[in-house]
Amino acid sequence: MKKRVLLITFIVLLMMTSVSIGATYSKTITAWFYDIKILLNGKNVHMSKAPFVYEGTTYVPLRDLAQGLGLTVMWSDDGKTIKLFSKADPNMPVYPVNPVYPVNPMNPVYPMYQYEDEKDEEDIEDTLNEDYEEYDEGRYDLEFEYNVKEYSSYIKVEMEGKNFERDSSKWSRRDDSEFEDFVEEIAEEVADEYDEDVRIYVYDEDDDRVAKYEYDNGRDRIEELWLADEDYDEDDYKDYLEDEYEEYTEGREDIEFDYEVKEYTRYVRVEMEGKDFDKRDSAWEDRDDREFEDFIEEIAEDTAEQFDKDVKIYVKDEDNYTVGQYEYDESKDDFEVKNQY
């Protein structure tokens, strides 16, 4: 488990015991950053910022945790108050879309606005399940259910097939162009609500991935990244990884990789060879752990779907030193961090 100490300057809002608004001042503290994971009913809750430990107390982003619990978070500048509401709370105020609030640079929780008339993940899922349940432009209709998950830099949409397998004629005889247009409409619907890029994963009824798309919200453009009915050998798949996963960009500095792929009897080994960092560089030290693990897990899922095998991934720096080892169990859909420097 990775562990490090950082000196961080925080803006702290203090509330006096009998006074609703206290003094605002800055304070330098020593905080411990571990690879802390938050599980809600056994499922990981994605944190936009890494949790840390200060004086024996663990601090996590309130908005991320509250949303995981199905709560709405609002910040009131009047009284410097954070308000939590359940969906069923009749006292929850309704705000107009994109209201203008005075910016208080001393307010560290200012970004925690959430508005009642913005749709949450369940609302978007309901819209997709109602309006895009069926693709009917091929020789056979394809039916889907939808799951939506918000990440810090993109929205993930899973289209779960209900009536076809990836090696069936129902899938192979779809119209590729029409199906991509269908997916693009879905991506635009989601991007309009979140104003973020969208990644769409298509699965068959056996939960095998059959396609992957990425929608660039800024450019209003969709790209087909992967299709299960394309026949990749090791070299082809290596080229695919180097095209789609050449660069990790979610840390303070970008990290670039070359890839080697080797298929064995029971698993596929993927080596990610760092081109521009070593284990002591700030590029590696300052990466966002959770975002990097998401990056690796996505590679593992793609590889498992392509080869229908377990996956072992080894991340190396430019000196060929292994800085991370990860495994993906294809049958259990389980991703595990085995070792990380």
Side-chain angles (χ1 to χ4, degrees):
M1 179 180 291
K2 176 182 171 187
K3 178 176 71 177
R4 56 183 171 156
V5 184
L6 294 178
L7 279 176
I8 300 176
T9 300
F10 285 90
I11 304 299
V12 182
L13 294 178
L14 294 182
M15 301 294 184
M16 304 302 291
T17 302
S18 60
V19 183
S20 61
I21 303 177
T24 300
Y25 67 92
S26 64
K27 178 182 179 182
T28 300
I29 68 171
T30 300
W32 290 86
F33 283 73
Y34 299 87
D35 184 17
I36 300 173
K37 293 181 172 62
I38 309 298
L39 300 180
L40 177 61
N41 296 326
K43 294 185 178 180
N44 184 59
V45 179
H46 178 76
M47 295 286 126
S48 57
K49 301 295 181 183
F52 62 88
V53 177
Y54 171 57
E55 293 187 344
T57 299
T58 302
Y59 292 81
V60 300
L62 177 62
R63 182 177 185 180
D64 296 331
L65 187 60
Q67 287 182 338
L69 294 169
L71 301 175
T72 295
V73 182
M74 293 181 181
W75 167 258
S76 173
D77 199 57
D78 181 18
K80 303 296 184 290
T81 304
I82 298 171
K83 299 179 180 180
L84 302 177
F85 297 93
S86 67
K87 292 182 179 179
D89 191 340
N91 297 314
M92 184 169 66
V94 177
Y95 291 102
V97 176
N98 298 325
V100 177
Y101 291 91
V103 176
N104 181 356
M106 299 298 289
N107 178 1
V109 291
Y110 173 74
M112 286 184 172
Y113 287 112
Q114 183 171 329
Y115 312 110
E116 172 62 9
D117 53 359
E118 285 185 352
K119 295 182 179 179
D120 61 14
E121 292 167 2
E122 291 184 3
D123 292 331
I124 295 295
E125 287 173 2
D126 290 343
T127 298
L128 297 181
N129 284 319
E130 181 177 344
D131 296 342
Y132 299 95
E133 179 186 13
E134 192 172 71
Y135 166 75
D136 56 9
E137 296 297 331
R139 294 190 181 183
Y140 303 97
D141 295 344
L142 304 178
E143 297 179 2
F144 297 96
E145 289 183 354
Y146 293 84
N147 288 306
V148 178
K149 177 65 177 178
E150 182 178 6
Y151 290 88
S152 59
S153 58
Y154 69 94
I155 309 301
K156 180 177 181 178
V157 178
E158 294 181 343
M159 300 173 55
E160 301 177 353
K162 298 193 294 183
N163 67 335
F164 69 93
E165 297 178 350
R166 74 179 191 176
D167 57 356
S168 68
S169 58
K170 280 190 174 183
W171 172 250
S172 63
R173 294 190 179 185
R174 74 194 180 283
D175 184 298
D176 283 352
S177 178
E178 292 285 355
F179 188 76
E180 187 170 313
D181 289 343
F182 177 71
V183 173
E184 185 171 13
E185 282 187 34
I186 294 167
E188 289 173 345
E189 180 94 31
V190 176
D192 284 345
E193 291 297 335
Y194 288 95
D195 195 27
E196 294 278 1
D197 294 342
V198 181
R199 297 180 190 176
I200 294 184
Y201 300 76
V202 186
Y203 298 87
D204 71 0
E205 64 185 0
D206 296 327
D207 205 30
D208 290 328
R209 190 186 299 177
V210 295
K212 176 183 174 183
Y213 301 85
E214 186 168 68
Y215 178 77
D216 188 320
N217 185 43
R219 297 180 181 179
D220 188 23
R221 186 176 66 186
I222 195 164
E223 181 181 3
E224 178 188 272
L225 299 182
W226 182 82
L227 278 175
D229 50 11
E230 293 183 5
D231 186 18
Y232 288 98
D233 61 17
E234 292 171 358
D235 289 337
D236 292 332
Y237 192 70
K238 170 189 171 181
D239 292 341
Y240 163 76
L241 292 178
E242 291 183 346
D243 285 342
E244 302 303 333
Y245 297 100
E246 178 186 18
E247 196 171 53
Y248 167 75
T249 60
E250 297 299 329
R252 293 185 182 180
E253 302 174 55
D254 296 345
I255 303 176
E256 296 182 0
F257 297 98
D258 284 328
Y259 289 82
E260 291 294 334
V261 178
K262 180 66 176 176
E263 184 178 9
Y264 294 92
T265 304
R266 291 184 295 178
Y267 69 93
V268 178
R269 178 187 175 103
V270 177
E271 291 190 2
M272 300 173 56
E273 302 169 354
K275 298 192 293 184
D276 58 349
F277 73 95
D278 69 39
K279 64 180 182 178
R280 294 172 295 273
D281 283 347
S282 59
W284 177 253
E285 284 294 319
D286 292 344
R287 74 194 183 282
D288 184 302
D289 285 356
R290 212 164 300 280
E291 292 284 358
F292 188 76
E293 288 172 20
D294 289 343
F295 178 72
I296 301 297
E297 185 173 6
E298 197 169 321
I299 294 170
E301 289 176 347
D302 274 6
T303 306
E305 292 294 348
Q306 182 59 43
F307 292 93
D308 196 25
K309 293 181 178 180
D310 294 344
V311 181
K312 296 182 180 181
I313 296 181
Y314 298 82
V315 180
K316 300 183 177 183
D317 69 4
E318 61 187 358
D319 297 325
N320 206 36
Y321 183 91
T322 300
V323 294
Q325 182 180 348
Y326 311 84
E327 292 186 5
Y328 181 79
D329 187 319
E330 189 271 338
S331 63
K332 297 179 180 178
D333 187 24
D334 181 54
F335 176 76
E336 181 179 1
V337 179
K338 303 295 291 186
N339 186 31
Q340 191 164 262
Y341 177 80

